[in-house]
Structure formats: C-alpha cells, structure tokens
Amino acid sequence: MSESARDAQAARLAELLSQSALRNQRAFSELYAVTAPKLFGVALRILRRQDWAEEVLQECYMSIWNHAGDYAITKSAPLTWMTSIVRNRCLDWLRRPQQEATGDEYEIAIDAWRDESPGPIEQLAAAGDAAALARCLEMLDGRQRQSIMLAFFHGMSHSEVANHMKEPLGTVKTWVRRGLERLKGCLQQAESP
Amino acid sequence: MKYDDPRLRDKLAAEYVLGTLRGQARARFQSLMRYDGALRSVVKDWESRLTPLARAGTDIAPPERVWQALSERLTGEPHRLRWWESLALWRGLTATCAAFALVLAIVTGVSREAEPPMAMIAVMNDTQGRPAMTVSWPSMQAARDRPFLRVRVIQEHPVMAPGTAWELWMLPGGESNPVSLGLITTDVDQVMELKPELAARIEGAWGIAMTVEPKGGSPTGQPTGPMVMQGPCVKL
C-alpha cells in the first residue's frame, strides 16, 4: 500500500469512527467489514482458541461502538487504537486463571519467528509506515527478536517464551527487556531527521 | 517498588503493551494508569511503537455469526450512558445501604467538639467495589455559619500522580450534570469548606464521585478524567 493510500485508509477509518460515535450503524458495519479480519487474526493468535477469539472480538467491537467518541482525544492512528483495545482485552482474558492457553496447532506458526526466517518482518517492511519498525527489529539480536515476537503475537508470558525457547526464565526476561530498550532507541533515531 | 522512577515506568509500560506484564502486576499497572495521565501517555507511545507489528500477521476473517450477534446487540442496547447517568441506578438502592453506612459512621464519625453531628454520608467505593473513602456532612441548617464536608480515607490512597488533582463531584438530583465540590488533598482526614450555594444543593444530592483531573481541576467544569471512586449519599 502506498503512503497516500494508507493515509486515505486511516482518514476513512477515523471518519467511520466519528460516524459510529453518532450511532451511525451503517458506518459501524463498514468499519467492522474493513477491520475485523485484521483484529480477529490478532485475537486468534493470542488466545489460540476460536471460541474465545470470537467472544473477545464481539466484546471489543461493542466497546469500540460505545467508546468511538473517545477515539478523537487519543490522537492515535485508528487501527492502532482499535488493535490496542483487542490486544488488551485478550491479555486480560488470559489473566483468568482457568484460561491457560494451550494448543499445539499454532506451533507451526510460531516457528515462523525463528531468527533464520525473516519472512514476517519482510512483510512488515512492505507495509511502508512500519518499515522503520521492521528495520529496527532486524537490528536486534535474533534471540531478542524471537522472544519479543513470541510475546507480542502469541500472547506468551515470559515463562511460556522460556519454555518454548528452552531457555532459562531470567535469560528470556533479559532478552525481552534489552530488546525493547534497543527497539525504542532505534525507533527514536529513525524519527529524528 | 518506586513507580516514580522514569526508567521503571518506561519498562513497565513497554512490557504492558508487549503483553509480558501478567497477573497481579498487570492489574496493579492498570490501576496506576487510571490515576496517572503521564503514565497513560508513556503507554500510548509504546502502543504507537509496537502495535504496527500486528500488521505482520495474516488477516483471518471471523465467521459471519460474530457480526450477526453484534448487530443484534447494536439494535437492542440503549445508548451508553455517561457514568453519572448510569450511577442513577443507585437511587433505588440507597435504602439497603443505610444500615451499612450507619455502622461505618460509628467507626469513622467520632465527632469533634463543637462540630455539629454528621447528617449524611457517602461511602465511596473504588473501581473494584471496595470502600475507599467517606464524605460526610452535617445538616446545613446546623452548620450554616461554616458549611463543610469531612473527607476520610478508609483505604490506603494510591499516589497522586504529578500534574494531576483529585476533584470531588456532587451528583445532584434529576438529570443534572455533576457539580464540582472542589479539589481534595491526599490527607487521610480533611475538612473542605463549602460555598453557600453548594451547601444549599448538597442536601438534595444522591451521590458523590471523585475523578482524576489535570492540576488545578477540570478545565471544563465537568468531569474530564477517569472516575475512580463513587458512592451514594445516605442519611445518618
């Protein structure tokens, strides 16, 4: 997607949100049609269960409908705002003790984040506005990158990442922390002219 | 933990957004955020940094039934009420709270000499529903020379974040919007003087609420920040 097409899409989403705040159901249904596949993917990868992901998605869109009026004051990109709502709801869901996520069927997808396969990062680089993020991720140590990706995409806790990577918990925590610090430093450099 | 250390705040915000802040730590962080606008903006910065990562995942269309369920709810659910409107549901419940409030008043309302007895109390619950603070006042007739409210903390206060203020609101009868009573401090026991025009209205109030506002109080005269405590007014 070119930069201007992305800006146009963001502007359209912002418009649909402000229409939704005015209880315009048609605008909301268009908003759903455009964004639900993205957000369902986000929820499914974190929760790893179809029924939970459907339930959370439904709750999130109700929340978006009810709080669409608050969007304007956040000054975030519309998709970032909506994605954060979904991610937070999923992570809160996982906090329920009985909802320990399992599911081996996602192991294959998780393997895609191994350091030797930069596929998804290339995909990110192609997304244009996320190019800086992709570049900065590539500069990270492979282990740092993998642990951050596992946590972000699959909602893994530190200990789940440690189990998955067969590494000590403390080591994984350090990778995550240092990886985030370096990522921030790199992105700040990319921002400054 | 010292939550005012900027490095720690940044690290916690990053791990909150990444999703590795879990369990109690996540819940504690969320309640800190409610009080701390600066912390919310650190979180927002991390969301802008990390959330675009979600683009790297493949899209997966949800089944049609999700939209069907949603559209049924959209047509069925009434317009969302603002928090003070939805609190109006209490008005029917106040009678059942009276006994509890009375017990509490005996514990907290040790009257000072030369202070008229308290006539009304609002036991304010935090967002988890735990009693956190009481606001009580005497009959305004008895205290007409110096109308006041007494504010007592019954649960350890969270820290007031820099650049913020805690504002008390009276919820008047009818459909009226909240009316500011003023800013309070972090003292566990404080007296707030009431302007005569507020004294005249407070006896008709059905609830008291507290919001976190920018330093100096709400710029609009209406609550702008998150509501962190609320409770119905009960006669003693």
Side-chain angles (χ1 to χ4, degrees), chain A residues 54 58 66 74 92 155, chain B residues 22 26 44 65 73 80:
Chain A
E54 286 181 25
Q58 196 191 125
N66 282 325
T74 65
D92 287 339
Chain B
R22 290 297 173 92
R26 184 173 167 83
K44 218 192 85 198
R65 60 177 171 268
R73 288 177 67 181
R80 181 176 66 112

Side-chain angles (χ1 to χ4, degrees), chain A residues 180-192:
Chain A
L180 288 169
E181 281 167 5
R182 286 188 62 190
L183 206 55
K184 181 183 173 187
C186 175
L187 284 168
Q188 279 174 339
Q189 258 185 347
E191 271 170 29
S192 55

Side-chain angles (χ1 to χ4, degrees), chain B residues 97-110 121-125 131-135 152-154 236:
Chain B
C97 302
F100 169 61
L102 204 62
V103 172
L104 225 134
I106 293 164
V107 179
T108 61
V110 187
I121 187 167
V123 179
M124 295 167 64
N125 289 340
M133 200 164 83
T134 63
V135 176
R152 278 166 193 253
V153 173
I154 49 181
L236 290 172

